[in-house]
């Protein structure tokens, strides 16, 4: 069910809140500041192809970024690490600014990663709901943007289900060479 309707921001926001409340009660995701142990775990996650572009290398630079204040760990009620969210510039893909993908002061960028063994199991929609709710409450933003590799059709499908709209497509250098990315966003009335 789309939650973004042009000219109907209030209705979209009410639908979004109703959906989040139902999912939040069932999923038990908890978002907190990243701990050193969680950062160490995340920094060595390895994804199956073609998603290995999201692998990190466990370096000090990666750990410093994960612990830099804009990354949040997501756990379940048993305190098992499920994934992470990041916000602001840390959620932006290098190269996007030069193509105008990150214009507009009113948007908060969200990045996300789920533990590799949990991906592709239908958990993405609930996971992202929690991140959107957290972003709305923490940053008081009514415009949330994310960036995704265009080959990542399963993620794009989740984002579109939530009402994200496609924006800019651009290329950025990655460890696997130049890759095409797309920014997407959703707007709500607060």
């Amino acid at each position: 069910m789309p939650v973004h309707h042009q000219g109907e921001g209030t209705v979209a926001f009410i639908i979004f809140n109703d959906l989040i409340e139902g999912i939040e009660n069932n999923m038990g995701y908890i978002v907190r500041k990243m701990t050193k142990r969680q950062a160490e775990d995340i920094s060595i996650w390895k994804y199956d192809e073609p998603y290995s572009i999201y692998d990190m290398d466990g370096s000090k630079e990666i750990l410093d970024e994960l612990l830099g204040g804009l990354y949040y760990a997501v756990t379940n009620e048993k305190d098992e690490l499920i994934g992470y969210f990041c916000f602001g510039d840390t959620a932006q893909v290098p190269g996007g600014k030069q193509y105008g993908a990150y214009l507009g002061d009113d948007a908060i960028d969200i990045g996300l990663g789920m533990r590799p063994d949990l991906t592709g199991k239908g958990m993405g929609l609930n996971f992202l709901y929690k991140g959107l709710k957290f972003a709305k409450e923490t940053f008081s933003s009514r415009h949330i943007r994310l960036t995704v590799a265009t080959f990542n059709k399963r993620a794009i499908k989740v984002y579109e289900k939530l009402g994200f709209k496609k924006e800019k497509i651009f290329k950025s250098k990655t460890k696997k060479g130049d890759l095409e990315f797309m920014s997407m966003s959703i707007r709500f009335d607060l």
Side-chain angles (χ1 to χ4, degrees):
M1 172 186 328
V3 294
H4 177 77
H5 305 281
Q6 201 69 5
E8 295 179 54
T10 303
V11 171
F13 187 69
I14 290 168
I15 292 169
F16 175 76
N17 272 343
D18 289 347
L19 289 170
I20 281 183
E21 291 307 316
I23 286 175
E24 184 179 21
N25 292 335
N26 294 327
M27 294 310 295
Y29 290 141
I30 301 160
V31 182
R32 295 188 192 113
K33 282 286 193 188
M34 181 85 55
T35 67
K36 185 175 184 203
R37 179 69 191 139
Q38 290 165 335
E40 289 169 347
D41 287 349
I42 290 167
S43 77
I44 58 170
W45 283 352
K46 301 294 180 208
Y47 294 89
D48 292 336
E49 292 298 337
Y51 305 102
S52 65
I53 66 151
Y54 301 113
D55 292 355
M56 297 183 204
D57 63 9
S59 67
K60 181 182 179 333
E61 292 78 23
I62 293 294
L63 288 172
D64 288 347
E65 181 177 337
L66 289 169
L67 293 168
L70 290 175
Y71 277 80
Y72 296 83
V74 181
T75 61
N76 62 17
E77 293 167 333
K78 297 176 185 174
D79 205 33
E80 297 167 326
L81 185 60
I82 302 298
Y84 67 87
F85 297 115
C86 61
F87 300 95
D89 289 347
T90 61
Q92 295 178 353
V93 171
K97 285 187 182 178
Q98 76 184 42
Y99 290 101
Y102 302 121
L103 297 176
D105 296 334
D106 67 334
I108 181 73
D109 287 281
I110 184 173
L112 56 141
M114 186 174 273
R115 202 173 73 210
D117 63 310
L118 299 177
T119 61
K121 298 189 187 307
M123 297 171 62
L125 193 65
N126 299 337
F127 183 74
L128 184 53
Y129 274 133
K130 186 65 175 187
L132 293 176
K133 183 174 185 201
F134 182 82
K136 179 185 80 71
E137 291 171 353
T138 304
F139 302 102
S140 300
S141 181
R142 62 185 184 94
H143 182 196
I144 301 173
R145 180 175 50 214
L146 55 78
T147 306
V148 60
T150 56
F151 76 80
N152 194 346
K153 302 297 184 210
R154 69 183 185 193
I156 293 168
K157 185 177 174 182
V158 168
Y159 305 152
E160 288 178 329
K161 273 187 181 178
L162 280 168
F164 278 85
K165 301 297 179 195
K166 296 175 181 178
E167 292 181 337
K168 297 271 187 189
I169 293 177
F170 63 92
K171 289 198 182 231
S172 185
K173 290 192 184 308
T174 72
K175 57 189 166 204
K176 303 242 179 195
D178 282 354
L179 198 62
E180 192 174 73
F181 289 88
M182 174 175 50
S183 61
M184 301 178 76
S185 74
I186 187 169
R187 291 183 179 270
F188 305 105
D189 287 341
L190 290 177

